[in-house]
Amino acid sequence: MTDPIDSSAAAQHPLSVSVVIPSYRRLDRIADLVRAYRAQGADQVVVVLDGPHPGWEHAVAPVARADLDVVALPENLGLARARIAGLRAATGDIVLAVDDDVEPGPGLVDRHRAFHAVHAGRVLQGYMPTALPATRGRDQAPTYLYAREYEAQVRVWRDGDPALLLRSLWGGNLSLRRELYERAEELLPSVRLEYNEDLDLGLRLEKLGAVAVFDPDARAAHHHARGLSAFLRECTARGGAIAQIEARWGERPAQLTPIIDIPRSYNRVLAALQRRIAARDDPGALETSIVAVYRAAGLVGAWRLQDGIARMLRRGVAMRGYRLARHEASAVPAR
């Protein structure tokens, strides 16, 4: 659901925009992103290098200017804490938090700027459809799944209760007033999460009484790229992050339950496979065999089979990550 933006009011009350871009091992993209946001009138671009990036000075030299700040973190802190490092360096009235695999669409910065000129206490969730290739490759099921599920979430944002948007924030194209972001950090400081960082921010903003709005015209393109191996590592991290969210908030947000809990209506055979995968601490013969079928399906273009395998593996591996994270947390002695 989108609020109208009064461009005349925005023109009378111009706000400065700091674009914060956390980045991890994607130095080749930084210069082009800085150019793109600079061309759109961003007042400041803050690039946060999340951990050591040898040679970064050379990579950003072509775009070095007073409006670019590079924060080089000495160690990898994760997305949420890297964003906070960017927040601390930001000087603009508005923080536009973007990802380093998101390309801004025309007028993106002005769209965010205009919104906040008339909606001081709100959060703007922009639209970032996945940029899919013209021809599907043999190991792109995770990206196609991501694209479909993102669009399903967008339909909820368009048609659902806007009060629920903060519980489904999707980072990469998100803006809020800097002082609101700072208040969320004061309420509960960011911690390292390997997934669900945006949900955690949304929960904090909800506690502060903030409201989020979805704007399909604040558009960017998400260049998502994930093969199966990286996808499965991400699924493990996703399950672990659910355990962290539970411990941090004392509850599990409802939308996370389907990731680690098999519905009663789910196919019994597939459910049994997921439970067997989840019960192991690492991949075994069963999972290896299923991955082999996935790769064979990619070779012959059996996309529905490949997508089904990726979905089935996702829950089983996320369940493993959740179990391992809870076990690790229980093994840490209380202080």
Side-chain angles (χ1 to χ4, degrees):
M1 187 174 292
T2 309
D3 280 5
I5 294 178
D6 184 343
S7 58
S8 62
Q12 294 171 11
H13 303 284
L15 298 171
S16 55
V17 178
S18 293
V19 179
V20 174
I21 314 173
S23 186
Y24 182 62
R25 297 181 178 176
R26 288 173 174 164
L27 280 178
D28 58 313
R29 300 186 181 187
I30 297 303
D32 286 343
L33 284 173
V34 172
R35 291 187 187 100
Y37 287 109
R38 184 177 280 161
Q40 291 199 14
D43 299 276
Q44 179 192 27
V45 179
V46 181
V47 174
V48 183
L49 300 176
D50 191 9
H53 285 68
W56 69 263
E57 297 92 344
H58 177 75
V60 303
V63 291
R65 218 167 67 183
D67 60 356
L68 172 65
D69 288 273
V70 179
V71 180
L73 299 177
E75 60 180 315
N76 178 256
L77 299 180
L79 178 59
R81 294 177 66 191
R83 281 180 179 161
I84 297 306
L87 170 65
R88 292 181 181 131
T91 59
D93 302 302
I94 304 159
V95 171
L96 174 52
V98 299
D99 289 344
D100 62 358
D101 59 353
V102 171
E103 178 185 2
L108 179 70
V109 171
D110 281 342
R111 192 73 186 176
H112 283 275
R113 192 197 312 269
F115 175 85
H116 291 287
V118 291
H119 298 297
R122 298 195 176 191
V123 178
L124 186 62
Q125 171 74 72
Y127 180 41
M128 49 175 198
T130 309
L132 294 173
T135 302
R136 175 167 167 165
R138 63 187 183 185
D139 186 17
Q140 292 184 315
T143 293
Y144 278 77
L145 286 176
Y146 180 95
R148 285 194 289 271
E149 291 174 0
Y150 176 76
E151 293 301 333
Q153 182 62 66
V154 166
R155 289 192 290 273
V156 173
W157 290 336
R158 288 178 186 270
D159 305 327
D161 182 353
L164 300 177
L165 206 157
L166 285 173
R167 286 184 167 255
S168 57
L169 283 185
W170 205 300
N173 181 7
L174 184 74
S175 67
L176 65 168
R177 292 284 189 114
R178 190 180 74 247
E179 60 265 27
L180 179 57
Y181 205 162
E182 290 169 341
R183 285 176 59 206
E185 190 65 10
E186 291 169 3
L187 175 71
L188 193 62
S190 296
V191 295
R192 182 177 189 127
L193 293 168
E194 302 301 338
Y195 213 88
N196 295 323
E197 303 95 342
D198 308 312
L199 169 60
D200 183 73
L201 175 60
L203 292 173
R204 287 181 279 161
L205 292 168
E206 184 181 62
K207 289 285 187 184
L208 292 172
V211 175
V213 174
F214 171 63
D215 182 5
D217 293 324
R219 187 180 179 115
H222 186 185
H223 296 278
H224 182 279
R226 205 85 80 248
L228 186 69
S229 296
F231 175 69
L232 294 179
R233 291 193 296 272
E234 182 178 86
C235 292
T236 303
R238 189 172 186 176
I242 293 174
Q244 286 182 271
I245 290 285
E246 286 179 346
R248 182 166 162 86
W249 289 96
E251 63 174 343
R252 181 196 305 162
Q255 69 269 36
L256 300 181
T257 293
I259 302 298
I260 56 168
D261 193 9
I262 302 172
R264 290 185 178 182
S265 59
Y266 193 63
N267 180 281
R268 291 185 179 182
V269 174
L270 297 180
L273 293 176
Q274 288 178 336
R275 290 190 182 97
R276 287 183 60 186
I277 289 169
R280 290 188 58 92
D281 289 356
D282 50 33
L286 172 63
E287 187 175 333
T288 301
S289 298
I290 294 171
V291 168
V293 176
Y294 167 94
R295 301 206 181 282
L299 289 173
V300 299
W303 306 132
R304 290 183 63 185
L305 173 61
Q306 197 179 55
D307 290 352
I309 291 171
R311 282 194 299 269
M312 188 276 294
L313 285 171
R314 175 173 57 188
R315 184 184 286 127
V317 174
M319 288 167 64
R320 172 196 295 152
Y322 177 77
R323 176 180 59 80
L324 291 173
R326 283 177 58 88
H327 176 75
E328 182 178 348
S330 67
V332 176
R335 293 185 178 180

